[in-house]
Amino acid sequence: MHCPIHVTLRVRPGVPSLRGGALVHEWRRSLAEANERGDFRVAHYSLQGDHAHLIVEAHGKEALARGMMSIGARLARAVNRVGRRSGPVLDGRYHHRSLRSPREVRRALAYVLLNARRHLAKSRGVSRSATAHLDGASSARWFDGWRREAASRVQEARGDASAAQPEVARPRTWLLRVGWRRHGLVDPAEVPGGAVPT
């Protein structure tokens, strides 16, 4: 394992939104049980209406395939339990991209953790000056790379969960632990896809 991986999972049309409060809670519980499997770990995620983004680390293609099979099954079971439904949830295979440089990792972190803000910017024209909130349907509350002025928002987002076990694993690759910081900490007011603020 030399570099982290950005993974996207899509759900089938007609599946309830992944951002519902009960589903987010169930996903967190389920992910906490499987976030680290030795050769595979989920370091960050965000749930959107019809897809999920994850940043994972895996020791090779087989570990990635096994880990994603487990994560996909957990997401499907969570959706079906909360929605009191049965049947397939995921729409085909996951898409993945290896992140090979500090800049790629930094962009992926902002993209995943601020993806809801990106979607709002596209649909409603949210600007960088709009009030920034940490996305409750993501691992943003466990991310330690926010700019200093965002620290109070992180504490608010963690709330009573600060004593809880995170549902994501600590990254082990140099790129995901340290390397990405060469390009600046992440500002919760960023709109991913634009320029990285200086």
Side-chain angles (χ1 to χ4, degrees):
M1 170 184 55
H2 301 293
C3 56
I5 304 160
H6 178 190
V7 180
T8 304
L9 285 169
R10 296 204 169 275
V11 298
R12 292 173 176 241
V15 170
S17 172
L18 300 180
R19 293 182 64 79
L23 178 57
V24 171
H25 178 75
E26 183 66 17
W27 164 249
R28 284 178 178 165
R29 186 197 62 72
S30 183
L31 183 59
E33 295 171 359
N35 66 7
E36 187 161 3
R37 306 177 69 106
D39 59 355
F40 176 88
R41 72 194 51 78
V42 177
H44 295 291
Y45 72 88
S46 72
L47 299 177
Q48 302 306 312
D50 64 354
H51 63 283
H53 290 285
L54 302 100
I55 296 180
V56 305
E57 295 175 330
H59 290 279
K61 291 179 182 177
E62 286 182 26
L64 176 63
R66 282 192 314 270
M68 288 310 302
M69 187 180 300
S70 172
I71 293 301
R74 285 179 178 279
L75 179 59
R77 283 194 300 269
V79 167
N80 284 339
R81 266 194 305 268
V82 170
R84 293 191 169 98
R85 62 183 299 281
S86 62
V89 170
L90 300 180
D91 187 16
R93 247 177 95 69
Y94 60 88
H95 169 71
H96 70 285
R97 182 171 168 262
S98 294
L99 306 171
R100 301 185 183 281
S101 72
R103 187 178 302 277
E104 280 185 304
V105 174
R106 201 269 183 212
R107 284 185 177 147
L109 285 167
Y111 186 87
V112 169
L113 296 173
L114 300 172
N115 202 257
R117 186 170 179 83
R118 179 177 180 270
H119 286 289
L120 277 174
K122 286 172 83 175
S123 66
R124 298 186 196 158
V126 172
S127 72
R128 182 170 159 69
S129 60
T131 303
H133 300 282
L134 298 184
D135 183 7
S138 77
S139 58
R141 65 193 184 145
W142 303 115
F143 181 55
D144 68 354
W146 297 117
R147 285 194 171 176
R148 186 172 303 158
E149 52 274 18
S152 62
R153 280 177 273 182
V154 171
Q155 288 305 330
E156 286 172 25
R158 285 185 184 168
D160 293 335
S162 59
Q165 180 72 20
E167 66 268 21
V168 289
R170 287 193 178 279
R172 293 189 187 168
T173 58
W174 176 83
L175 282 168
L176 196 50
R177 280 186 302 107
V178 178
W180 70 268
R181 295 172 191 263
R182 291 180 173 183
H183 297 285
L185 298 179
V186 179
D187 186 339
E190 284 179 41
V191 177
V196 173
T198 54

